[in-house]
């Protein structure tokens, strides 16, 4: 059973969860895809709670998120989904239905069209309010060398957090 919580209550879970990996899930028309993320951040922008996600144009999710108006971030906290995260970070949704193959269960978004991953312990629903490509000339050369050797620069998606829910048993520490 999921329970709604505030960003302040969820912040530690989100930051720690990103260290292990999370699922970024997007629905565009009738197509749903998920991918692994380890980068992202939360905060306040334009008087809104936001989650900022990064997606490379080479990812199948990029094609969907460019057309969609929302995304979700699903974080396993106590649930071990390391195998699923590893596979979702390498297998393309263009050639495989990762959600079906990995037996990931979708839970409809309560405030957005994109679903969350029910197998996870925390789900953040986001309505996209801004998107842009990282400016290549503004990135230090050592970061370009380390993270962009092939020039596949991330696009940035700022999502207004419209809902955060956590499994009740996580809060019963």
């Amino acid at each position: 059973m999921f329970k709604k919580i505030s960003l302040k209550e969820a912040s530690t879970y989100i930051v720690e969860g990103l260290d292990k990996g999370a699922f970024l899930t997007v629905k565009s028309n009738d197509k749903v895809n998920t991918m692994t993320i380890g980068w992202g951040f939360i905060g306040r922008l334009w008087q809104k709670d936001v989650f900022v996600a990064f997606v490379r144009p080479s990812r199948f999710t990029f094609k969907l998120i460019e057309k969609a108006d929302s995304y979700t971030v699903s974080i396993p906290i106590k649930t071990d989904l390391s195998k699923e995260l590893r596979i979702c970070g390498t297998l393309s949704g263009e050639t495989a239905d990762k959600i079906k193959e990995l037996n990931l269960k979708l839970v409809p978004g309560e405030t957005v069209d994109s679903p969350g991953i029910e197998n996870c312990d925390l789900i953040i629903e986001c309505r996209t309010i801004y998107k842009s490509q990282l400016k290549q000339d503004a990135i230090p050369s050592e970061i370009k060398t380390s993270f962009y050797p092939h020039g596949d620069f991330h696009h940035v998606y700022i999502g207004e957090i419209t809902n955060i829910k956590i499994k009740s048993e996580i809060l019963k520490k």
Side-chain angles (χ1 to χ4, degrees):
M1 175 72 75
F2 283 99
K3 174 186 188 287
K4 184 176 175 135
I5 62 170
S6 70
L7 178 59
K8 184 176 180 179
E9 292 171 293
S11 62
T12 301
Y13 295 116
I14 295 168
V15 172
E16 290 175 0
L18 283 172
D19 285 342
K20 297 177 194 171
F23 297 94
L24 176 74
T25 307
V26 179
K27 178 182 179 185
S28 177
N29 296 321
D30 63 345
K31 184 69 178 165
V32 177
N33 190 59
T34 194
M35 63 176 265
T36 300
I37 62 169
W39 297 356
F41 57 89
I42 53 172
R44 294 278 297 163
L45 179 66
W46 303 317
Q47 296 180 339
K48 299 175 184 302
D49 291 337
V50 296
F51 185 97
V52 182
F54 300 84
V55 180
R56 295 178 191 267
S58 59
R59 299 299 299 257
F60 178 64
T61 299
F62 177 78
K63 294 174 185 168
L64 300 180
I65 201 167
E66 277 293 300
K67 295 176 188 169
D69 65 357
S70 67
Y71 58 89
T72 63
V73 177
S74 302
I75 302 173
I77 297 168
K78 290 187 177 179
T79 306
D80 181 11
L81 295 176
S82 54
K83 173 188 159 203
E84 290 83 352
L85 286 164
R86 188 175 58 256
I87 292 170
C88 285
T90 55
L91 191 62
S92 173
E94 208 156 27
T95 58
D97 184 343
K98 297 182 275 187
I99 294 165
K100 184 177 180 184
E101 287 185 26
L102 295 171
N103 200 29
L104 295 173
K105 305 288 185 236
L106 297 178
V107 58
E110 294 176 24
T111 61
V112 297
D113 287 337
S114 294
I117 304 292
E118 187 175 10
N119 310 63
C120 290
D121 302 304
L122 184 137
I123 300 171
I124 307 163
E125 297 179 5
C126 301
R127 181 179 58 85
T128 306
I129 56 174
Y130 179 82
K131 57 185 172 181
S132 181
Q133 182 177 11
L134 290 177
K135 292 194 176 283
Q136 300 172 27
D137 58 348
I139 300 172
S141 60
E142 66 273 9
I143 292 176
K144 282 193 237 184
T145 301
S146 295
F147 295 100
Y148 303 104
H150 306 293
D152 193 16
F153 290 87
H154 287 94
H155 284 230
V156 179
Y157 299 87
I158 300 175
E160 176 184 5
I161 297 172
T162 56
N163 191 31
I164 303 174
K165 52 191 176 186
I166 191 166
K167 288 190 176 166
S168 300
E169 58 266 21
I170 300 298
L171 298 174
K172 297 177 186 174
K173 288 184 174 182

